[in-house]
């Protein structure tokens, strides 16, 4: 039995056999993190509080103060919605390849195995 669960892949994918592809293992956890971070609060009708609400930072300046608020939003959302991970830290800094974005790097451990993982996401912002 897989300790991380199994669900439809995100984004949805079709395999060579024409069937929907499933996501499982560590990939399922990474996809879940991406879903949480890409979902705006209020976007899901039956679960209005779900998501990190990172879209609220779209026109904020790309400054350390904004980065601290983004990190707090990410930490709060992941602690609430993804019980399969233990956060080690969230670092948000200007995206070196895009002056209008910040790069959030999330370090976490898989609760079931203790294995350390890391993922990054670019967050669109205003100029700063």
């Amino acid at each position: 039995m897989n300790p991380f669960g199994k669900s439809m892949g995100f984004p949805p994918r079709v395999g060579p056999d024409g069937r929907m592809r499933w996501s499982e293992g560590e990939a399922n956890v990474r996809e879940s993190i991406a879903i949480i971070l890409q979902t705006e609060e209020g976007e899901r009708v039956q679960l209005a509080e779900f998501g990190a609400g990172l879209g609220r930072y779209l026109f904020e300046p790309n400054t350390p103060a904004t980065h601290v608020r983004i990190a707090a939003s990410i930490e709060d959302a992941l602690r609430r919605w993804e019980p399969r991970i233990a956060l080690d830290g969230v670092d948000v800094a200007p995206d070196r390849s895009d002056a209008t974005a910040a790069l959030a790097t999330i370090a976490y451990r898989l609760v079931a195995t203790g294995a350390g993982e890391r993922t990054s996401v670019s967050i669109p912002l205003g100029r700063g």
Side-chain angles (χ1 to χ4, degrees):
M1 181 176 192
N2 187 332
F4 303 112
K6 179 178 177 180
S7 63
M8 187 180 350
F10 183 81
R13 302 177 287 278
V14 177
D17 60 357
R19 294 177 181 247
M20 293 302 295
R21 301 291 297 185
W22 290 89
S23 169
E24 55 188 308
E26 292 88 348
N28 184 262
V29 174
R30 279 190 300 277
E31 289 176 10
S32 175
I33 290 170
I35 290 167
I36 292 166
L37 298 181
Q38 293 171 12
T39 302
E40 294 301 313
E41 293 168 337
E43 190 172 322
R44 290 195 174 183
V45 175
Q46 295 296 323
L47 200 54
E49 297 174 353
F50 182 83
L54 298 179
R56 77 184 98 173
Y57 300 107
L58 181 59
F59 298 108
E60 294 293 319
N62 199 351
T63 63
T66 301
H67 300 164
V68 168
R69 294 194 340 263
I70 290 171
S73 294
I74 290 172
E75 289 173 10
D76 290 347
L78 291 178
R79 283 197 171 99
R80 180 170 187 189
W81 299 111
E82 186 44 83
R84 298 174 294 177
I85 67 170
L87 280 176
D88 289 331
V90 177
D91 180 58
V92 181
D95 187 333
R96 293 181 180 161
S97 64
D98 183 354
T100 64
L103 187 64
T105 302
I106 302 148
Y108 61 94
R109 284 174 286 108
L110 299 168
V111 172
T113 64
E117 299 281 334
R118 183 177 297 271
T119 189
S120 295
V121 62
S122 182
I123 302 157
L125 301 172
R127 296 210 178 261

